C-alpha cells in the first residue's frame, strides 16, 4: 500500500511506470493499463478481470472455507 502511495506521488510529478506484478493492490491503481499474456498475445484487461483480483476476491468472500481447504491434511 505504501508503494501505491509513492507511485501516486511520482505520477503527479509526471513519472510513468512499467510494472510486472501479481499484486492486486498494485494493479488497482486508478487508470492503470493492465495487460495479460494469452496464447502469446498481449491483451488489455480491466483490473476486475485479472486472475489475481478474482482469486483475492474469492478468498476474502470465503476465507474461512478457503483456509479450511488449504489447511486440510488430505
Amino acid at each position: 500500500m505504501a508503494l501505491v502511495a509513492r507511485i501516486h506521488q511520482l505520477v503527479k510529478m509526471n513519472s510513468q511506470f512499467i510494472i510486472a506484478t501479481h499484486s492486486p493492490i498494485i494493479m488497482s491503481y486508478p487508470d492503470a493499463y493492465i495487460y495479460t499474456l494469452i496464447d502469446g498475445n498481449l491483451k488489455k484487461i480491466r483490473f476486475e478481470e485479472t486472475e489475481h483480483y478474482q482469486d483475492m476476491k474469492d478468498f476474502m468472500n470465503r476465507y474461512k472455507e478457503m483456509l479450511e481447504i488449504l489447511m486440510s491434511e488430505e
Side-chain angles (χ1 to χ4, degrees):
M1 289 183 252
L3 178 59
V4 171
R6 183 63 178 143
I7 289 170
H8 188 63
Q9 290 170 344
L10 294 169
V11 165
K12 289 193 292 187
M13 297 167 48
N14 296 317
S15 296
Q16 296 180 356
F17 296 88
I18 297 174
I19 301 171
T21 185
H22 292 102
S23 169
I25 293 171
I26 295 171
M27 283 189 266
S28 72
Y29 189 83
D31 301 319
Y33 295 134
I34 301 172
Y35 294 92
T36 189
L37 190 61
I38 299 174
D39 297 327
N41 298 304
L42 284 178
K43 180 183 176 194
K44 187 175 173 182
I45 61 174
R46 295 179 312 110
F47 169 59
E48 296 84 1
E49 295 174 304
T50 65
E51 283 184 51
H52 307 293
Y53 170 85
Q54 292 170 10
D55 289 344
M56 185 59 68
K57 181 180 176 185
D58 216 21
F59 179 82
M60 296 304 290
N61 287 334
R62 304 174 340 160
Y63 73 94
K64 289 180 182 178
E65 179 184 346
M66 297 295 279
L67 285 173
E68 199 172 293
I69 291 167
L70 291 170
M71 292 186 217
S72 70
E73 295 193 28
E74 293 179 32

